[in-house]
Short mmCIF file of all heavy atoms in Angstrom, two decimals:
data_model
loop_
_atom_site.label_atom_id
_atom_site.label_comp_id
_atom_site.label_asym_id
_atom_site.label_seq_id
_atom_site.Cartn_x
_atom_site.Cartn_y
_atom_site.Cartn_z
N LEU A 20 -17.07 18.43 -57.93
CA LEU A 20 -16.55 18.39 -56.56
C LEU A 20 -16.14 19.78 -56.07
O LEU A 20 -15.79 19.95 -54.91
CB LEU A 20 -15.36 17.43 -56.48
CG LEU A 20 -15.66 15.98 -56.88
CD1 LEU A 20 -14.38 15.15 -56.85
CD2 LEU A 20 -16.72 15.39 -55.98
N ASN A 21 -16.20 20.79 -56.94
CA ASN A 21 -15.84 22.16 -56.58
C ASN A 21 -16.84 22.75 -55.59
O ASN A 21 -18.04 22.58 -55.73
CB ASN A 21 -15.82 23.02 -57.86
CG ASN A 21 -15.62 24.49 -57.55
OD1 ASN A 21 -14.65 24.86 -56.92
ND2 ASN A 21 -16.55 25.32 -57.99
N ASN A 22 -16.33 23.46 -54.57
CA ASN A 22 -17.18 24.14 -53.60
C ASN A 22 -17.01 25.65 -53.64
O ASN A 22 -17.68 26.36 -52.91
CB ASN A 22 -16.89 23.63 -52.19
CG ASN A 22 -17.34 22.21 -52.00
OD1 ASN A 22 -18.41 21.83 -52.47
ND2 ASN A 22 -16.52 21.39 -51.36
N ASP A 23 -16.10 26.17 -54.47
CA ASP A 23 -15.86 27.60 -54.57
C ASP A 23 -16.71 28.16 -55.71
O ASP A 23 -16.26 28.26 -56.85
CB ASP A 23 -14.37 27.89 -54.81
CG ASP A 23 -14.07 29.38 -54.88
OD1 ASP A 23 -15.00 30.20 -54.73
OD2 ASP A 23 -12.90 29.72 -55.11
N TYR A 24 -17.95 28.49 -55.42
CA TYR A 24 -18.88 28.93 -56.45
C TYR A 24 -18.59 30.33 -56.97
O TYR A 24 -19.23 30.79 -57.91
CB TYR A 24 -20.32 28.85 -55.95
CG TYR A 24 -20.80 27.44 -55.70
CD1 TYR A 24 -21.88 27.20 -54.88
CD2 TYR A 24 -20.18 26.33 -56.28
CE1 TYR A 24 -22.35 25.90 -54.66
CE2 TYR A 24 -20.64 25.05 -56.06
CZ TYR A 24 -21.72 24.85 -55.25
OH TYR A 24 -22.17 23.57 -55.03
N SER A 25 -17.60 31.03 -56.40
CA SER A 25 -17.25 32.34 -56.93
C SER A 25 -16.55 32.20 -58.29
O SER A 25 -16.58 33.12 -59.10
CB SER A 25 -16.34 33.09 -55.95
OG SER A 25 -15.06 32.47 -55.86
N LYS A 26 -15.93 31.05 -58.55
CA LYS A 26 -15.22 30.82 -59.82
C LYS A 26 -16.11 30.11 -60.84
O LYS A 26 -16.12 30.44 -62.00
CB LYS A 26 -13.97 30.01 -59.58
CG LYS A 26 -13.00 30.72 -58.64
CD LYS A 26 -11.61 30.23 -58.82
CE LYS A 26 -10.69 30.85 -57.81
NZ LYS A 26 -10.27 32.18 -58.14
N TYR A 27 -16.87 29.12 -60.39
CA TYR A 27 -17.84 28.42 -61.23
C TYR A 27 -18.67 27.51 -60.35
O TYR A 27 -18.30 27.19 -59.22
CB TYR A 27 -17.17 27.62 -62.35
CG TYR A 27 -16.39 26.40 -61.87
CD1 TYR A 27 -17.01 25.16 -61.75
CD2 TYR A 27 -15.05 26.48 -61.53
CE1 TYR A 27 -16.31 24.04 -61.31
CE2 TYR A 27 -14.34 25.38 -61.09
CZ TYR A 27 -14.98 24.16 -60.99
OH TYR A 27 -14.28 23.07 -60.55
N LYS A 28 -19.80 27.09 -60.88
CA LYS A 28 -20.66 26.12 -60.21
C LYS A 28 -21.01 25.04 -61.23
O LYS A 28 -21.50 25.33 -62.32
CB LYS A 28 -21.93 26.80 -59.70
CG LYS A 28 -22.85 25.91 -58.91
CD LYS A 28 -24.03 26.69 -58.36
CE LYS A 28 -24.93 25.81 -57.53
NZ LYS A 28 -26.07 26.58 -56.99
N PHE A 29 -20.72 23.80 -60.88
CA PHE A 29 -21.01 22.66 -61.75
C PHE A 29 -21.75 21.65 -60.89
O PHE A 29 -21.19 21.12 -59.93
CB PHE A 29 -19.70 22.09 -62.28
CG PHE A 29 -19.84 21.11 -63.42
CD1 PHE A 29 -20.98 21.04 -64.20
CD2 PHE A 29 -18.80 20.26 -63.73
CE1 PHE A 29 -21.08 20.14 -65.25
CE2 PHE A 29 -18.88 19.36 -64.77
CZ PHE A 29 -20.03 19.31 -65.54
N VAL A 30 -23.01 21.42 -61.19
CA VAL A 30 -23.84 20.58 -60.34
C VAL A 30 -24.55 19.51 -61.17
O VAL A 30 -24.76 19.65 -62.36
CB VAL A 30 -24.88 21.41 -59.56
CG1 VAL A 30 -24.21 22.33 -58.56
CG2 VAL A 30 -25.76 22.20 -60.49
N ILE A 31 -24.93 18.45 -60.45
CA ILE A 31 -25.68 17.34 -61.05
C ILE A 31 -27.05 17.27 -60.39
O ILE A 31 -27.16 17.27 -59.17
CB ILE A 31 -24.95 16.00 -60.84
CG1 ILE A 31 -23.60 15.99 -61.55
CG2 ILE A 31 -25.81 14.84 -61.32
CD1 ILE A 31 -22.79 14.72 -61.32
N ASP A 32 -28.10 17.21 -61.21
CA ASP A 32 -29.45 16.92 -60.74
C ASP A 32 -29.61 15.42 -60.95
O ASP A 32 -29.96 14.96 -62.05
CB ASP A 32 -30.48 17.71 -61.53
CG ASP A 32 -31.91 17.43 -61.10
OD1 ASP A 32 -32.14 16.47 -60.33
OD2 ASP A 32 -32.80 18.16 -61.56
N VAL A 33 -29.30 14.63 -59.93
CA VAL A 33 -29.16 13.18 -60.08
C VAL A 33 -30.41 12.50 -60.63
O VAL A 33 -30.32 11.67 -61.53
CB VAL A 33 -28.69 12.50 -58.77
CG1 VAL A 33 -27.31 12.96 -58.40
CG2 VAL A 33 -29.66 12.75 -57.64
N ALA A 34 -31.57 12.83 -60.11
CA ALA A 34 -32.79 12.15 -60.52
C ALA A 34 -33.20 12.51 -61.95
O ALA A 34 -33.82 11.70 -62.64
CB ALA A 34 -33.92 12.48 -59.55
N GLN A 35 -32.86 13.69 -62.40
CA GLN A 35 -33.25 14.14 -63.74
C GLN A 35 -32.14 13.97 -64.77
O GLN A 35 -32.29 14.37 -65.92
CB GLN A 35 -33.68 15.61 -63.68
CG GLN A 35 -34.92 15.84 -62.84
CD GLN A 35 -36.11 15.03 -63.34
OE1 GLN A 35 -36.41 15.01 -64.53
NE2 GLN A 35 -36.77 14.33 -62.44
N GLY A 36 -31.00 13.40 -64.36
CA GLY A 36 -29.91 13.19 -65.30
C GLY A 36 -29.31 14.48 -65.82
O GLY A 36 -28.73 14.52 -66.89
N GLY A 37 -29.46 15.54 -65.05
CA GLY A 37 -29.04 16.86 -65.50
C GLY A 37 -27.68 17.28 -65.01
O GLY A 37 -27.27 16.97 -63.90
N LEU A 38 -26.97 17.99 -65.87
CA LEU A 38 -25.68 18.61 -65.54
C LEU A 38 -25.80 20.08 -65.88
O LEU A 38 -26.26 20.43 -66.98
CB LEU A 38 -24.56 18.00 -66.38
CG LEU A 38 -24.32 16.52 -66.23
CD1 LEU A 38 -23.53 15.99 -67.41
CD2 LEU A 38 -23.57 16.26 -64.94
N THR A 39 -25.39 20.95 -64.95
CA THR A 39 -25.43 22.39 -65.21
C THR A 39 -24.11 23.00 -64.80
O THR A 39 -23.65 22.82 -63.67
CB THR A 39 -26.58 23.06 -64.43
OG1 THR A 39 -27.81 22.45 -64.80
CG2 THR A 39 -26.65 24.55 -64.74
N LEU A 40 -23.51 23.73 -65.74
CA LEU A 40 -22.28 24.48 -65.50
C LEU A 40 -22.62 25.96 -65.57
O LEU A 40 -23.20 26.42 -66.55
CB LEU A 40 -21.21 24.14 -66.54
CG LEU A 40 -19.92 24.97 -66.49
CD1 LEU A 40 -19.15 24.71 -65.20
CD2 LEU A 40 -19.05 24.68 -67.70
N LEU A 41 -22.29 26.69 -64.50
CA LEU A 41 -22.52 28.13 -64.44
C LEU A 41 -21.18 28.83 -64.27
O LEU A 41 -20.44 28.54 -63.32
CB LEU A 41 -23.43 28.48 -63.27
CG LEU A 41 -24.79 27.81 -63.25
CD1 LEU A 41 -25.45 27.94 -61.89
CD2 LEU A 41 -25.68 28.42 -64.32
N LEU A 42 -20.86 29.75 -65.19
CA LEU A 42 -19.64 30.54 -65.11
C LEU A 42 -20.04 32.00 -64.93
O LEU A 42 -20.77 32.55 -65.77
CB LEU A 42 -18.81 30.41 -66.39
CG LEU A 42 -18.38 29.02 -66.81
CD1 LEU A 42 -17.68 29.07 -68.16
CD2 LEU A 42 -17.47 28.42 -65.76
N PRO A 43 -19.59 32.65 -63.86
CA PRO A 43 -19.92 34.06 -63.69
C PRO A 43 -19.10 34.93 -64.66
O PRO A 43 -18.06 34.51 -65.18
CB PRO A 43 -19.54 34.34 -62.24
CG PRO A 43 -18.49 33.34 -61.92
CD PRO A 43 -18.82 32.12 -62.74
N ALA A 44 -19.56 36.14 -64.88
CA ALA A 44 -18.88 37.07 -65.77
C ALA A 44 -17.45 37.32 -65.31
O ALA A 44 -16.55 37.50 -66.14
CB ALA A 44 -19.65 38.38 -65.85
N SER A 45 -17.21 37.30 -64.00
CA SER A 45 -15.85 37.53 -63.49
C SER A 45 -14.88 36.43 -63.93
O SER A 45 -13.68 36.67 -64.06
CB SER A 45 -15.87 37.63 -61.96
OG SER A 45 -16.41 36.46 -61.39
N THR A 46 -15.38 35.24 -64.19
CA THR A 46 -14.54 34.14 -64.68
C THR A 46 -14.33 34.27 -66.19
O THR A 46 -13.20 34.22 -66.67
CB THR A 46 -15.17 32.78 -64.35
OG1 THR A 46 -15.18 32.62 -62.93
CG2 THR A 46 -14.39 31.64 -64.96
N THR A 47 -15.40 34.44 -66.95
CA THR A 47 -15.25 34.51 -68.40
C THR A 47 -14.53 35.77 -68.85
O THR A 47 -13.96 35.80 -69.94
CB THR A 47 -16.61 34.43 -69.12
OG1 THR A 47 -17.38 35.60 -68.84
CG2 THR A 47 -17.37 33.17 -68.72
N ASN A 48 -14.54 36.80 -68.04
CA ASN A 48 -13.83 38.04 -68.38
C ASN A 48 -12.33 37.80 -68.56
O ASN A 48 -11.68 38.51 -69.33
CB ASN A 48 -14.07 39.10 -67.30
CG ASN A 48 -13.60 40.46 -67.75
OD1 ASN A 48 -13.98 40.92 -68.82
ND2 ASN A 48 -12.77 41.09 -66.94
N ASN A 49 -11.80 36.80 -67.88
CA ASN A 49 -10.37 36.49 -67.95
C ASN A 49 -10.02 35.55 -69.10
O ASN A 49 -8.84 35.24 -69.30
CB ASN A 49 -9.89 35.89 -66.64
CG ASN A 49 -10.01 36.86 -65.50
OD1 ASN A 49 -9.71 38.03 -65.64
ND2 ASN A 49 -10.49 36.39 -64.36
N TYR A 50 -10.99 35.07 -69.85
CA TYR A 50 -10.72 34.16 -70.95
C TYR A 50 -10.17 34.94 -72.14
O TYR A 50 -10.78 35.92 -72.59
CB TYR A 50 -11.97 33.41 -71.37
CG TYR A 50 -12.44 32.36 -70.37
CD1 TYR A 50 -13.62 31.69 -70.55
CD2 TYR A 50 -11.69 32.05 -69.25
CE1 TYR A 50 -14.05 30.74 -69.65
CE2 TYR A 50 -12.10 31.10 -68.34
CZ TYR A 50 -13.29 30.45 -68.55
OH TYR A 50 -13.71 29.49 -67.66
N THR A 51 -9.06 34.49 -72.67
CA THR A 51 -8.44 35.14 -73.82
C THR A 51 -8.38 34.23 -75.04
O THR A 51 -7.92 34.64 -76.08
CB THR A 51 -7.01 35.61 -73.47
OG1 THR A 51 -6.25 34.47 -73.05
CG2 THR A 51 -7.02 36.65 -72.37
N PHE A 52 -8.86 33.01 -74.92
CA PHE A 52 -8.83 32.08 -76.05
C PHE A 52 -10.04 32.30 -76.95
O PHE A 52 -11.07 32.80 -76.51
CB PHE A 52 -8.78 30.63 -75.55
CG PHE A 52 -9.91 30.25 -74.64
CD1 PHE A 52 -11.08 29.70 -75.15
CD2 PHE A 52 -9.82 30.42 -73.26
CE1 PHE A 52 -12.13 29.33 -74.32
CE2 PHE A 52 -10.86 30.06 -72.42
CZ PHE A 52 -12.01 29.52 -72.96
N SER A 53 -9.89 31.96 -78.22
CA SER A 53 -11.01 32.11 -79.15
C SER A 53 -11.66 30.76 -79.49
O SER A 53 -12.81 30.73 -79.89
CB SER A 53 -10.57 32.81 -80.43
OG SER A 53 -9.53 32.08 -81.04
N ASN A 54 -10.93 29.67 -79.31
CA ASN A 54 -11.46 28.33 -79.56
C ASN A 54 -10.91 27.37 -78.52
O ASN A 54 -9.81 27.56 -78.02
CB ASN A 54 -11.06 27.82 -80.95
CG ASN A 54 -11.74 28.56 -82.06
OD1 ASN A 54 -12.96 28.52 -82.16
ND2 ASN A 54 -10.96 29.26 -82.88
N ALA A 55 -11.69 26.34 -78.25
CA ALA A 55 -11.24 25.31 -77.32
C ALA A 55 -11.92 24.00 -77.70
O ALA A 55 -12.99 23.99 -78.30
CB ALA A 55 -11.59 25.69 -75.89
N LYS A 56 -11.29 22.91 -77.33
CA LYS A 56 -11.89 21.58 -77.43
C LYS A 56 -12.26 21.18 -76.01
O LYS A 56 -11.61 21.58 -75.05
CB LYS A 56 -10.88 20.58 -78.00
CG LYS A 56 -10.39 20.91 -79.37
CD LYS A 56 -11.39 20.55 -80.40
CE LYS A 56 -10.79 20.77 -81.79
NZ LYS A 56 -11.73 20.48 -82.82
N TYR A 57 -13.29 20.40 -75.87
CA TYR A 57 -13.69 20.00 -74.52
C TYR A 57 -13.97 18.52 -74.45
O TYR A 57 -14.25 17.86 -75.45
CB TYR A 57 -14.88 20.81 -74.02
CG TYR A 57 -16.19 20.46 -74.70
CD1 TYR A 57 -17.02 19.47 -74.19
CD2 TYR A 57 -16.59 21.12 -75.85
CE1 TYR A 57 -18.20 19.15 -74.82
CE2 TYR A 57 -17.78 20.79 -76.49
CZ TYR A 57 -18.57 19.81 -75.96
OH TYR A 57 -19.74 19.48 -76.59
N ASP A 58 -13.94 18.02 -73.23
CA ASP A 58 -14.24 16.62 -72.95
C ASP A 58 -15.06 16.60 -71.67
O ASP A 58 -14.66 17.21 -70.66
CB ASP A 58 -12.95 15.83 -72.79
CG ASP A 58 -13.20 14.34 -72.64
OD1 ASP A 58 -14.09 13.81 -73.34
OD2 ASP A 58 -12.52 13.71 -71.83
N LEU A 59 -16.19 15.93 -71.68
CA LEU A 59 -17.04 15.79 -70.51
C LEU A 59 -16.98 14.33 -70.08
O LEU A 59 -17.25 13.43 -70.88
CB LEU A 59 -18.49 16.18 -70.82
CG LEU A 59 -19.51 15.92 -69.72
CD1 LEU A 59 -19.20 16.74 -68.48
CD2 LEU A 59 -20.92 16.23 -70.23
N GLU A 60 -16.63 14.11 -68.81
CA GLU A 60 -16.53 12.76 -68.27
C GLU A 60 -17.46 12.61 -67.07
O GLU A 60 -17.51 13.51 -66.23
CB GLU A 60 -15.11 12.46 -67.83
CG GLU A 60 -14.10 12.52 -68.95
CD GLU A 60 -12.69 12.40 -68.43
OE1 GLU A 60 -12.20 13.38 -67.87
OE2 GLU A 60 -12.11 11.31 -68.59
N LEU A 61 -18.14 11.50 -66.99
CA LEU A 61 -18.95 11.13 -65.83
C LEU A 61 -18.33 9.91 -65.20
O LEU A 61 -17.93 8.98 -65.89
CB LEU A 61 -20.38 10.80 -66.23
CG LEU A 61 -21.24 11.97 -66.71
CD1 LEU A 61 -22.53 11.46 -67.29
CD2 LEU A 61 -21.50 12.91 -65.55
N GLN A 62 -18.24 9.93 -63.87
CA GLN A 62 -17.66 8.78 -63.16
C GLN A 62 -18.56 8.40 -62.02
O GLN A 62 -19.01 9.25 -61.25
CB GLN A 62 -16.27 9.14 -62.63
CG GLN A 62 -15.57 7.99 -61.96
CD GLN A 62 -14.16 8.35 -61.54
OE1 GLN A 62 -13.68 9.45 -61.75
NE2 GLN A 62 -13.51 7.40 -60.91
#
């Protein structure tokens, strides 16, 4: 539901069942963690 693509872009290709997350270097540059757990939810 995000529309601010300067921070990240997360889109669904509905017909192909595809999910794509794009993070620009300006976003990942601020990451200071070395490990993370994640959860992906579809609604």
Side-chain angles (χ1 to χ4, degrees):
L20 301 176
N21 173 56
N22 291 319
D23 182 2
Y24 293 160
S25 68
K26 300 203 185 280
Y27 70 89
K28 184 176 182 180
F29 193 20
V30 294
I31 296 177
D32 179 349
V33 295
Q35 296 302 313
L38 300 161
T39 302
L40 174 65
L41 302 165
L42 302 175
S45 58
T46 294
T47 67
N48 191 52
N49 296 318
Y50 289 174
T51 57
F52 57 91
S53 58
N54 291 297
K56 299 282 186 182
Y57 72 90
D58 186 39
L59 173 62
E60 299 173 285
L61 290 170
Q62 183 176 359

